[in-house]
Every structure is written in C-alpha cells, then in structure tokens.
C-alpha cells in the first residue's frame, strides 16, 4: 500500500463526501457487492478496522472483478466522510474515481 499524506487523505475524504452528495456511491456490504458484480463500481473503500470476513469478502470480489480497492481509512473516518455509519463504500463514477486515484500518487 502506498503511503498517503494526511493532506491527501483529507482531500480523499472530502471527495468521498462530494461523491455521496452527487449520488455516485453505494454503501453497505450488499449494495457494494451488487455494484461490483454489475460493473458499476469504479473504486472501493473498505475500513481497515472492519470485520475480517467483510474485508476478505470485499477483497475477493474486487480482485475477481479487477476493481481497485483501498483500505486507508478506519470505519470512523469512512463514516465521517459520508455522514453515515459505513465500513465499505463503492464509488460509481469514473470522474470521481479518477480524481481519488490521482490523490493516491
């Protein structure tokens, strides 16, 4: 995993919030998996402190469907970024996903 600066992590969290406001994310395990399987997910975030079986399930799906996955946020940070309690989020917009991936570099 690449090391990310606090500044870029904040920008990434802000981008997640904007994506939510724009209606471009899916949240929660089942909706994220459906989003991955239906080829709508462009980038997936999973909380690094989530349940091991959740992390494994999401990792397996994103690997199989070749979708980038990031585990740089805690559940609290993800929840704060979108304003609701979540451990897994799929970004469903190419533009947002591209911007977020560029912040990772």
């Amino acid at each position: 995993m690449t090391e990310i600066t606090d500044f870029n992590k904040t920008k990434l969290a802000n981008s997640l919030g904007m994506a939510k406001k724009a209606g471009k994310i899916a949240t929660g395990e089942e909706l994220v998996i459906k989003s991955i399987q239906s080829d709508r997910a462009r980038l997936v975030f999973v909380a690094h402190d989530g349940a091991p079986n959740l992390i494994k399930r999401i990792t397996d799906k994103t690997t199989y469907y070749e979708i980038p996955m990031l585990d740089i946020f805690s559940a609290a940070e993800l929840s704060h970024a979108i304003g609701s309690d979540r451990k897994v989020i799929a970004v469903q917009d190419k533009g947002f996903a591209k911007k977020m991936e560029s912040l990772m570099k």
Side-chain angles (χ1 to χ4, degrees):
M1 175 86 346
T2 52
E3 195 54 42
I4 181 167
T5 65
D6 284 342
F7 177 71
N8 278 5
K9 197 170 175 182
T10 301
K11 285 173 79 170
L12 210 49
N14 291 342
S15 294
L16 264 176
M18 287 191 295
K20 181 181 192 295
K21 283 187 183 92
K24 302 293 184 185
I25 65 171
T27 64
E29 184 176 358
E30 294 308 317
L31 290 175
V32 167
I33 287 173
K34 281 182 185 160
S35 176
I36 292 167
Q37 291 171 331
S38 62
D39 199 34
R40 288 194 311 268
R42 299 287 166 244
L43 179 61
V44 175
F45 289 89
V46 66
H48 58 73
D49 59 352
N53 59 344
L54 167 73
I55 294 171
K56 182 184 180 335
R57 192 168 177 212
I58 299 299
T59 302
D60 291 349
K61 291 288 182 203
T62 54
T63 302
Y64 180 80
Y65 288 93
E66 298 179 354
I67 294 166
M69 185 191 92
L70 299 172
D71 62 354
I72 58 167
F73 292 111
S74 67
E77 290 168 327
L78 276 180
S79 298
H80 180 75
I82 63 165
S84 56
D85 231 7
R86 291 291 181 259
K87 290 179 180 65
V88 61
I89 299 170
V91 177
Q92 298 181 314
D93 179 81
K94 280 183 185 161
F96 277 114
K98 200 172 187 179
K99 177 176 173 36
M100 291 174 192
E101 285 177 336
S102 74
L103 290 171
M104 294 299 297
K105 292 180 175 63

